[in-house]
Amino acid sequence: MSAKRAHNEVERETGHGTDLWRVIAAPIIWALHFLFCYVYAAIYCEKAGRAASLDHPTLVVIIATLVALAGIGLSTHHIWGVRARSLTDNDFEFEHNTPEERHRFLSHVALMLCVLSAVAVFYVTIPMLYLSTCR
């Protein structure tokens, strides 16, 4: 009986559940967006000079932001679906160490990380909206 239970747990967590990659997908998207935006702006300003206009980099950062938010949105949509399947009795207390409880907990954590990552992407974009030159 326990071998079957272990097999079902592994199948659920890797096939239809929340695995580690799904939990960290949104923070990875934010980190890549952060690096891309700041490295792109730094290289552009170094090559164009301190008096150069930031119109082109602002457009590139806005497009990168939309792409990052779309990726985070897809991740959120998937996590929301997993979370909805895991709520069986509207009980939000984690009392036992069972596969279902761990699955529900990871789904909640992943959903919160998606929201936090979306907010972080907006905060990375804000400086480009207020700057006009590379100075």
Side-chain angles (χ1 to χ4, degrees):
M1 186 75 175
S2 67
K4 183 178 179 183
R5 182 176 174 198
H7 174 70
N8 289 340
E9 179 180 347
V10 170
E11 181 180 332
R12 178 180 177 119
E13 289 180 357
T14 58
H16 304 290
T18 305
D19 58 359
L20 181 61
W21 290 109
R22 292 189 199 276
V23 172
I24 63 172
I28 287 173
I29 291 171
W30 164 74
L32 292 174
H33 175 264
F34 177 85
L35 287 173
F36 173 78
C37 291
Y38 279 92
V39 169
Y40 181 81
I43 291 172
Y44 178 84
C45 286
E46 180 63 30
K47 288 185 176 185
R50 293 183 58 94
S53 172
L54 286 178
D55 292 337
H56 178 64
T58 300
L59 180 64
V60 171
V61 167
I62 289 172
I63 291 170
T65 299
L66 294 175
V67 169
L69 289 175
I72 291 171
L74 286 173
S75 178
T76 304
H77 178 69
H78 177 76
I79 294 298
W80 189 264
V82 170
R83 183 182 164 274
R85 283 195 309 266
S86 70
L87 294 178
T88 56
D89 57 0
N90 290 328
D91 180 19
F92 292 106
E93 295 180 11
F94 301 106
E95 300 169 350
H96 306 289
N97 187 15
T98 64
E100 182 68 22
E101 295 278 336
R102 289 190 301 271
H103 176 72
R104 287 173 49 197
F105 178 74
L106 275 179
S107 295
H108 291 293
V109 168
L111 194 60
M112 287 184 264
L113 282 173
C114 287
V115 172
L116 180 67
S117 297
V119 170
V121 165
F122 280 120
Y123 273 96
V124 168
T125 307
I126 288 173
M128 287 302 290
L129 300 177
Y130 290 106
L131 298 174
S132 59
T133 65
C134 288
R135 288 183 189 190

